[in-house]
Amino acid sequence: MTSSPIFQNHKQKLSPVWPHFTQIEVSHAKGSYLFDSRNQPYLDFTSGIGVTNIGHCHPRVVQAIQRQAERLIHGQATVVYHQPMLDLVTELEKVLPTHLNSFFFANSGSEAVESALKLARQATKKTNIIAFQGGYHGRTVGAMSLTTAKTIYRSHYQPLMPGVHIAPYPDPFRYRGVSPEDLSEWCLQELQHLLRTQTSPEETAAMIIEPILGEGGYVVPPKNFLPRLKEICEQHGILLILDEIQTGFGRTGKFFAYEHFGVEPDILLIAKGLASGMPLSGVVANRRWMNHWQKGSHGGTYGGNALSCAAAAETLRVIHDERLLAKAKTAGDRLMNRLRDTAKYCSYLGEIRGLGLMIGCEFVDYLNYSKQYIAERVRKECLKKRLILLTCGTENHVIRWIPPLNITPQQVEEAVNIFEWALDHALKEGV
Ligand SMILES: Cc1ncc(COP(=O)(O)O)c(C=O)c1O
């Protein structure tokens, strides 16, 4: 992949704080593919980190944005009401339980997290927050203080926001040898202990958790964990915030991942797949809680932007009209089965797990190679064959699969074939 001198020169001017997992100079994208400046296609199994759930540049979303741009680009939410936001609320209400009936919009996932913290504090008149080990909630100071997926997200940014306490998250593969039910029970006991020893229920406003760990390694908790967590929250008058920023909008084969566990949040956080790449996030809660959020005490210039809301409303209609939840489930089952078959013949693949099209392949140490090294080598080998994958997990030792929900059986097959080739080549070329 060669780059023009102008491009090279400009690349030097970007802040090095951004790691670049590929050197692709992308020119355009369509469906499951990104195209570089030489028009070479790349099969994108990252979806812009779980954003383009209905595929890149879906024609209906492109048209919705174009139509909206001709009418109104920016209608500041505290100055006017605009139709795209009201349309979006109508579409969201169709997929949410009736008690989640009040909406606040912002731009990014981190902003939604910050907003939820402020809402929870004002609504409960309590200060403290419990978050869970391995969780990822964003990069702003409040969100970063809740994030324990890796130290890189926190190191040298201290002091962080006070009032945050971290409870264990049941990661069945990490604690293999213990049954998932026993692990779940142990984590819940530790949580109860934390409520007795560090932050009493009287000062704990909320618990925030991802129903499936994203950045932390695509970890699915044992089935009974979230229902029991919800019971503990209810017992103590603590709000349950579910961060569905990565797991929402069909990613797991259901509209929201909480549906797999039979648990509904007090506060729901949405972003990423919501608007197909336009910046938009949201906080959804019962009106009862929102009424305690003092008017004017929170907001932002661009939150609920008209173009983003139009893109989001159309995205939701596309998910419905194209039956993308069912497609995600079918494609997810196919991908999972193929990967599990592959893992049987690979000594350094420890576990394949996930729900729907949120699938993680966890590597294990092999001979003298660390699991992190192997995962990175495999990712890079896939890239040589123009399959884009990302890693996650505390040690970047998990390869995550997040293709669009409408990925075809042929594309799944092509991707797994490349992955198998990469598994074969990763260590041969690495030594
Ligand atoms: C679960 C979760 N919460 C919060 C965020 C932060 O979102 P953003 O990067 O839009 O600030 C992310 C981003 O990856 C996420 O996966």
Side-chain angles (χ1 to χ4, degrees):
M1 210 176 321
T2 48
S3 197
S4 69
I6 297 176
F7 215 100
Q8 280 299 349
N9 186 30
H10 278 75
K11 278 186 193 169
Q12 307 295 329
K13 295 181 184 163
L14 299 178
S15 168
V17 76
W18 272 319
H20 285 278
F21 298 107
T22 82
Q23 290 299 313
I24 301 168
E25 294 168 12
V26 71
S27 125
H28 60 283
K30 188 88 205 133
S32 309
Y33 290 95
L34 289 168
F35 296 84
D36 69 11
S37 46
R38 290 192 293 150
N39 216 22
Q40 292 196 104
Y42 287 78
L43 192 49
D44 181 13
F45 268 59
T46 74
S47 301
I49 318 195
V51 171
T52 52
N53 283 8
I54 64 170
H56 287 284
C57 300
H58 192 290
R60 282 179 55 181
V61 173
V62 171
Q63 214 182 46
I65 295 169
Q66 285 170 339
R67 272 202 306 262
Q68 185 55 43
E70 286 169 8
R71 297 177 65 84
L72 173 81
I73 293 176
H74 178 62
Q76 214 286 330
T78 63
V79 180
V80 293
Y81 292 96
H82 59 68
Q83 194 61 42
M85 189 186 287
L86 302 179
D87 285 349
L88 174 57
V89 166
T90 306
E91 293 303 324
L92 282 168
E93 278 177 328
K94 292 179 191 165
V95 298
L96 287 170
T98 49
H99 70 93
L100 293 176
N101 57 6
S102 189
F103 301 81
F104 172 83
F105 295 108
N107 305 286
S108 67
S110 303
E111 259 186 274
V113 171
E114 298 287 337
S115 307
L117 294 181
K118 291 168 85 171
L119 167 61
R121 283 178 164 174
Q122 285 207 353
T124 62
K125 313 274 182 289
K126 301 194 268 183
T127 52
N128 292 357
I129 309 287
I130 295 177
F132 290 81
Q133 185 68 56
Y136 181 87
H137 300 288
R139 310 287 192 132
T140 50
V141 172
M144 174 175 63
S145 309
L146 308 168
T147 291
T148 52
K150 296 183 183 90
T151 48
I152 182 91
Y153 300 133
R154 304 158 63 90
S155 295
H156 311 296
Y157 290 127
Q158 321 274 347
L160 302 178
M161 184 180 82
V164 176
H165 299 268
I166 306 296
Y169 187 101
D171 176 344
F173 190 70
R174 184 153 167 245
Y175 292 100
R176 48 198 184 277
V178 182
S179 81
E181 294 71 31
D182 285 353
L183 175 61
S184 185
E185 201 43 50
W186 176 78
C187 289
L188 292 161
Q189 277 175 22
E190 286 303 300
L191 174 67
Q192 299 271 28
H193 193 60
L194 196 140
L195 288 168
R196 286 190 295 269
T197 54
Q198 292 187 46
T199 173
S200 74
E202 291 70 38
E203 56 190 343
T204 306
M207 300 196 195
I208 180 166
I209 191 162
E210 294 165 89
I212 299 172
L213 290 189
E215 220 27 67
Y218 278 32
V219 179
V220 185
K223 200 94 190 150
N224 70 338
F225 182 70
L226 287 173
R228 293 270 290 108
L229 190 69
K230 172 82 177 171
E231 273 171 29
I232 294 171
C233 285
E234 279 176 356
Q235 184 190 341
H236 293 298
I238 296 170
L239 297 179
L240 178 64
I241 306 173
L242 288 186
D243 179 342
E244 291 251 15
I245 286 167
Q246 189 158 165
T247 49
F249 301 97
R251 176 51 54 204
T252 67
K254 301 222 184 247
F255 218 97
F256 291 105
Y258 65 69
E259 296 167 42
H260 290 283
F261 302 100
V263 167
E264 287 172 3
D266 297 299
I267 301 178
L268 175 69
L269 305 184
I270 53 179
K272 287 194 185 271
L274 168 62
S276 293
M278 293 295 287
L280 186 68
S281 63
V283 178
V284 195
N286 189 264
R287 185 94 213 164
R288 164 176 169 232
W289 298 119
M290 287 282 191
N291 280 340
H292 289 285
W293 209 0
Q294 197 190 348
K295 203 179 281 297
S297 70
H298 186 58
T301 303
Y302 298 109
N305 170 266
L307 291 189
S308 299
C309 286
E314 196 59 21
T315 299
L316 293 177
R317 290 183 203 111
V318 168
I319 293 175
H320 174 266
D321 296 349
E322 298 186 2
R323 300 180 198 290
L324 293 188
L325 301 187
K327 285 189 182 156
K329 161 105 183 60
T330 310
D333 287 348
R334 178 176 288 112
L335 180 56
M336 180 76 88
N337 290 338
R338 283 288 277 112
L339 290 172
R340 284 193 169 149
D341 280 346
T342 302
K344 286 183 199 149
Y345 305 100
C346 179
S347 316
Y348 31 95
L349 262 178
E351 189 185 50
I352 315 294
R353 58 175 176 251
L355 285 174
L357 281 170
M358 184 170 183
I359 296 180
C361 295
E362 177 154 348
F363 287 87
V364 290
D365 296 341
Y366 175 69
L367 303 176
N368 289 329
Y369 303 107
S370 72
K371 53 193 175 185
Q372 176 183 15
Y373 174 84
I374 301 172
E376 185 59 6
R377 288 287 315 152
V378 172
R379 188 188 74 78
K380 285 192 167 144
E381 290 299 310
C382 288
L383 194 56
K384 284 186 193 162
K385 297 272 179 193
R386 301 209 298 268
L387 167 66
I388 316 177
L389 288 166
L390 288 176
T391 53
C392 62
T394 305
E395 292 163 79
N396 287 318
H397 62 296
V398 178
I399 283 192
R400 53 172 141 173
W401 301 71
I402 2 171
L405 310 183
N406 46 17
I407 193 86
T408 65
Q410 295 74 17
Q411 289 163 347
V412 166
E413 200 57 30
E414 185 186 341
V416 177
N417 288 342
I418 294 174
F419 183 66
E420 285 175 340
W421 177 88
L423 289 173
D424 272 351
H425 285 71
L427 299 188
K428 283 180 201 150
E429 293 191 18
V431 283

